[in-house]
Amino acid sequence: MSGLLSASDYAAIAGKIVFPKEAFIDGVFRPSLSGKTFPTTNPATGAVLTEVAACNAEDVDLAVKAAKTAFEDGRWRRRSPSERKAVLLRLADLLERNAHELAVMESLDSGKPVRECQNTDVPETIHTIRWHAELIDKIYDHTAPVGSDTVALVVREPIGVVGLVLPWNFPLLMLAWKIGPSLAAGCSVVVKPAKETSLTALRLAELAHQAGIPAGVLNVLPGGGRDVGEPIGRHPDVAMVSFTGSTDTGRLFLKYAAESNLKQVVLECGGKNPAVVMDDVEDVDAVARHIVNGAFWNMGQNCSASSRLIVHADIKDALLERVGLHLREWKMGDPLDPENFLGSLSSDAHFEKVYSYIEQAKAENIPVVFGGGARHGIFVEPTIVDDAGPESKLFREEIFGPILSVTTFTTIDEAIALANDTVYGLAAAVYTSRLNRALRLAREIRAGVVTVNCFGEGDVTTPFGGFKESGFGGRDKSIWAHDQYTEIKTIWIDASTSEKYN
């Protein structure tokens, strides 16, 4: 995939896009059964992009029926691993050929900077699909050591029809994280994209059908949580749900499973992630770069964002000075201008939520040392609040926006206690030049992903998920992601009795 284009090039692509607007069920686009639609808008401008089919429980029934039929007749799951791999690789190729269109569509629909969509979201989506495709014929089943007269096979089988419920902050990439392993396993899937960001999921479904994914195997239903998400969670023919989103909504899927067919549920939920900076760091400027990236990438709308800076008191002032210098490089404005690192928030409602925390800081007399303003409707400046103690909402609650709270410590025990003083446990970053400190912090901080001297989530080879109220039941990414979309079956063959029946 080529590099960034100019702002005028992206504007020209935007002007030519024909937005998908119908549900994708059983291999075709179709309106919702009710005929209802909802507007999807460009949050950066407020302009309506198109009217999208508003699905409901009837559409869920139709899609699940198609997915179940496809699963039971084996049109996908019974294909050889090499055949499924070839189809998914063709899908990756089609995504690559349409990369600029997908990047622009994602930017328009979400308010994300096109440079981020072009440089990260789209290429990582393609890489994720290819990686899981290549893994299909490289995961071996097992035999158990049971003696010479018996053969015991331990095999994986696709779990069945799965519901994939997506967030709005990384629409395309989170789709890839889930359809990569689920389709590789041989499942049929019903996808519910976030209502705010449905367009790229619908476009990918169209490309998947062109690549050779059989009808009924990949279905995409736009619509609201109550109208589509809950019916998926309660449907008796859905064997498993993988959900990424808020912790409160994740709890609902556990309830739906308990009140229906005890379907398996995998949750990847919220985070209030610490970045712990010790006083022995050698390159304060490098740490500052990582802090800015961790806190403000994707406008802080990231469940693994470094939203709490827990810094040794002796270096706080020096670090914040360097953070402020790096923030000057993060230009904010039109998401389709590749010069901009920061776009708009995802919606008016989300803007109101995020900005309320800046007002909360003022109410709590917490100093706002950087940013604190809003521009052009729903653009929030990168904001840093100082001296946010553990009793503050800014320390405790997931804001999901470009606000970084700063808290100081003087001992490593205090740093660990502050880092773990949260109901969440998704991610953490630690910065130190001493190996023993790095290992102690990485081991004692209760989080599913801990990075040392950098911000990140690993890559496609490493599992992603959290502890505590950040989720459970499985992991996205890596070989472990395949486990949640399969059942383990034991096949016991007693060869010693075969002569009795010959």
Side-chain angles (χ1 to χ4, degrees):
M1 188 174 71
S2 59
L4 290 172
L5 306 179
S6 67
S8 60
D9 289 332
Y10 286 122
I13 293 171
K16 296 178 181 178
I17 290 178
V18 177
F19 296 107
K21 57 186 179 180
E22 295 182 320
F24 193 82
I25 300 174
D26 206 12
V28 297
F29 282 114
R30 56 178 300 150
S32 62
L33 290 173
S34 69
K36 293 181 179 180
T37 63
F38 63 89
T40 188
T41 63
N42 178 349
T45 66
V48 174
L49 298 172
T50 189
E51 293 280 336
V52 177
C55 295
N56 61 24
E58 290 181 307
D59 301 289
V60 172
D61 285 340
L62 185 65
V64 172
K65 181 179 179 180
K68 182 180 179 182
T69 298
F71 184 79
E72 291 183 344
D73 68 24
R75 68 187 71 168
W76 178 245
R77 69 180 173 91
R78 287 185 181 142
R79 288 195 182 184
S80 69
S82 61
E83 289 178 311
R84 293 202 307 274
K85 178 171 81 169
V87 172
L88 290 179
L89 290 176
R90 284 198 296 271
L91 171 58
D93 291 342
L94 286 172
L95 293 171
E96 192 162 41
R97 290 177 207 165
N98 292 274
H100 292 310
E101 175 202 357
L102 289 165
V104 171
M105 190 182 294
E106 189 94 315
S107 178
L108 291 171
D109 204 20
S110 67
K112 295 164 67 78
V114 73
R115 67 175 296 121
E116 183 179 307
C117 299
Q118 186 82 70
N119 286 338
T120 303
D121 295 42
V122 173
E124 283 299 309
T125 294
I126 296 165
H127 179 56
T128 297
I129 297 296
R130 284 190 175 133
W131 193 85
H132 286 291
E134 289 290 355
L135 197 61
I136 291 174
D137 56 5
K138 299 172 183 65
I139 299 179
Y140 287 76
D141 290 326
H142 303 276
T143 61
V146 293
S148 59
D149 292 333
T150 304
V151 176
L153 305 177
V154 183
V155 301
R156 296 178 181 85
E157 293 184 354
I159 196 169
V161 177
V162 301
L164 307 176
V165 183
L166 308 179
W168 48 256
N169 57 335
F170 291 94
L172 199 55
L173 184 55
M174 295 301 98
L175 175 61
W177 279 17
K178 296 184 188 299
I179 65 168
S182 59
L183 291 178
C187 298
S188 296
V189 304
V190 177
V191 177
K192 184 215 168 296
K195 187 176 181 181
E196 299 88 341
T197 52
S198 301
L199 299 181
T200 49
L202 293 168
R203 178 68 173 125
L204 183 143
E206 182 179 25
L207 295 174
H209 189 63
Q210 292 176 21
I213 298 289
V217 172
L218 172 59
N219 307 273
V220 179
L221 303 181
R226 291 293 183 187
D227 295 324
V228 179
E230 181 174 349
I232 288 174
R234 293 186 179 280
H235 204 289
D237 290 328
V238 173
M240 176 263 187
V241 167
S242 178
F243 167 80
T244 296
S246 72
T247 299
D248 287 343
T249 304
R251 295 180 196 276
L252 292 177
F253 278 98
L254 296 177
K255 177 183 177 182
Y256 302 153
E259 293 177 351
S260 58
N261 61 336
L262 289 179
K263 59 177 58 64
Q264 296 186 31
V265 178
V266 174
L267 302 179
E268 195 277 283
C269 298
K272 189 67 176 175
N273 311 293
V276 178
V277 183
M278 303 299 296
D279 59 346
D280 58 19
V281 292
E282 295 177 348
D283 190 340
V284 174
D285 189 69
V287 173
R289 282 199 308 273
H290 286 298
I291 295 298
V292 169
N293 189 42
F296 303 118
W297 172 49
N298 198 36
M299 294 72 69
Q301 298 171 142
N302 179 15
C303 56
S304 63
S306 296
S307 56
R308 291 186 296 150
L309 174 57
I310 299 173
V311 57
H312 196 285
D314 290 348
I315 66 164
K316 183 188 80 169
D317 291 343
L319 179 60
L320 288 183
E321 179 183 3
R322 300 307 303 175
V323 166
L325 292 174
H326 285 291
L327 271 178
R328 295 176 184 174
E329 302 171 5
W330 283 57
K331 295 174 60 179
M332 182 169 67
D334 179 7
L336 283 187
D337 184 344
E339 295 296 317
N340 291 324
F341 284 66
L342 294 160
S344 74
L345 297 189
S346 64
S347 66
D348 291 335
H350 190 56
F351 169 84
E352 294 296 333
K353 176 200 170 187
V354 170
Y355 201 75
S356 72
Y357 282 95
I358 296 176
E359 295 172 335
Q360 179 68 32
K362 297 173 182 176
E364 294 181 13
N365 294 315
I366 298 174
V368 178
V369 295
F370 293 103
R375 305 179 205 163
H376 312 301
I378 60 172
F379 291 73
V380 174
E381 293 177 341
T383 299
I384 300 177
V385 298
D386 198 4
D387 294 325
E391 72 286 348
S392 169
K393 289 184 178 181
L394 285 93
F395 180 94
R396 308 206 70 81
E397 296 181 4
E398 184 180 36
I399 299 172
F400 221 64
I403 301 175
L404 173 67
S405 67
V406 181
T407 310
T408 57
F409 68 90
T410 56
T411 69
I412 190 171
D413 288 335
E414 185 183 2
I416 292 168
L418 286 167
N420 287 331
D421 189 9
T422 173
V423 298
Y424 299 109
L426 185 57
V430 299
Y431 299 88
T432 176
S433 63
R434 292 170 55 177
L435 180 60
N436 60 335
R437 284 182 168 181
L439 287 175
R440 184 180 174 198
L441 287 163
R443 286 291 191 180
E444 295 197 25
I445 292 176
R446 298 284 296 164
V449 177
V450 181
T451 57
V452 178
N453 293 329
C454 64
F455 165 76
E457 299 172 351
D459 63 13
V460 71
T461 69
T462 57
F464 181 79
F467 296 178
K468 299 190 283 186
E469 292 185 20
S470 288
F472 69 93
R475 291 292 186 264
D476 287 317
K477 301 195 305 172
S478 80
I479 192 171
W480 282 275
H482 287 243
D483 290 347
Q484 61 210 23
Y485 299 107
T486 59
E487 294 278 24
I488 300 298
K489 174 181 285 186
T490 295
I491 300 176
W492 184 276
I493 303 171
D494 186 354
S496 65
T497 62
S498 59
E499 291 185 1
K500 297 179 182 179
Y501 305 102
N502 285 343

